[in-house]
Amino acid sequence: MLPARGTDSGRSAAAANGILPDTGSHPLPPLGGFAPFSTVDYPGHLCAVIYTQGCPCRCRYCHNPHLQQGRGHSNVSWPAFMRWLATRRGLLDAVAFCGGEPTVHKSLQAALRKVRNLGFSVALHTSGIYPYNFSQMLPYIDWVGFDIKAPLARYADVTGVPGSGIRVQNSVECMLFSNVAYEIRTTVHPAILDAADLVTIARWLKLMGISSWVLQSFNPAGCVNMDLVTSYAPIHHQLLDKLREHVPNILVR
């Protein structure tokens, strides 16, 4: 099932400034949809995928822009999902939490704990833009898919969130210190990140001791920016060789 499209297209003043208010007052994060089966959202595991609503970032290549506002209608409820998940014991290994940006909600921690209490592992896909929330959730997470969106100095250009680079730096450091399993990945589009940007990211990853990196080809599905859809070009092998001088294990997906 694809994430349900939201019905409110207006951006709040807070979102326009790059920040969404934490919605931890809700019992559990607002859902945007779920997929009952995936083999790619937690490598090596069979998992269900939950999509939460709300994200402060306004990345031009986003393929779930309808989840950004965090107030759209959903045909999925937490009680219904948990009842369904209880019937999947022995059939699924894990639940992957995607978005939106799941860590915008402090209440995500309660959802992670509920899933683990049913005996499932937990995967989280995150931009790392809420380092404190992320750090508090790490003890309940088995694997992190971490999106590095830009060089630190250019982060706000890509996310639209002032100061997002230092937040992401803090989240990466917390993740590495926790020893949780993770995957670092970056979406590649020449109109957003040029060769120099990618080399700068590679050097940054090397400084943090990261030796594996996934470069994700731009996915036009769901992207509303037609300039990006029509101007995509794949990464050149010569650039890959240069990037591997800093991060030896690079997978292009």
Side-chain angles (χ1 to χ4, degrees), residues 149-159 164 191-194 197:
K149 297 179 179 292
L152 285 177
R154 289 203 59 234
Y155 237 89
D157 296 338
V158 175
T159 64
S164 51
I192 296 174
L193 299 175
D194 61 20
D197 289 327

Side-chain angles (χ1 to χ4, degrees), residues 131-153:
Y132 177 77
N133 290 358
F134 180 52
S135 69
Q136 298 302 297
M137 296 167 189
L138 278 169
Y140 307 101
I141 298 169
D142 298 287
W143 179 86
V144 178
F146 199 108
D147 291 318
I148 297 292
K149 297 179 179 292
L152 285 177

Side-chain angles (χ1 to χ4, degrees), residues 23-30 78 105-111 114:
T23 52
S25 60
H26 291 284
L28 289 172
W78 276 108
H105 308 285
K106 287 183 179 178
S107 58
L108 178 68
Q109 184 179 132
K114 284 179 176 291

Side-chain angles (χ1 to χ4, degrees), residues 3 12 15 32 43-44 47 55 78 82 84 94 101 103-104 129 138 145 174 190 210 216 221 253:
S12 68
C47 66
C55 181
W78 276 108
M82 295 305 296
W84 174 85
E101 170 50 56
T103 64
V104 67
I129 205 163
L138 278 169
C174 286
I210 294 170
Q216 297 184 144
R253 181 183 294 156

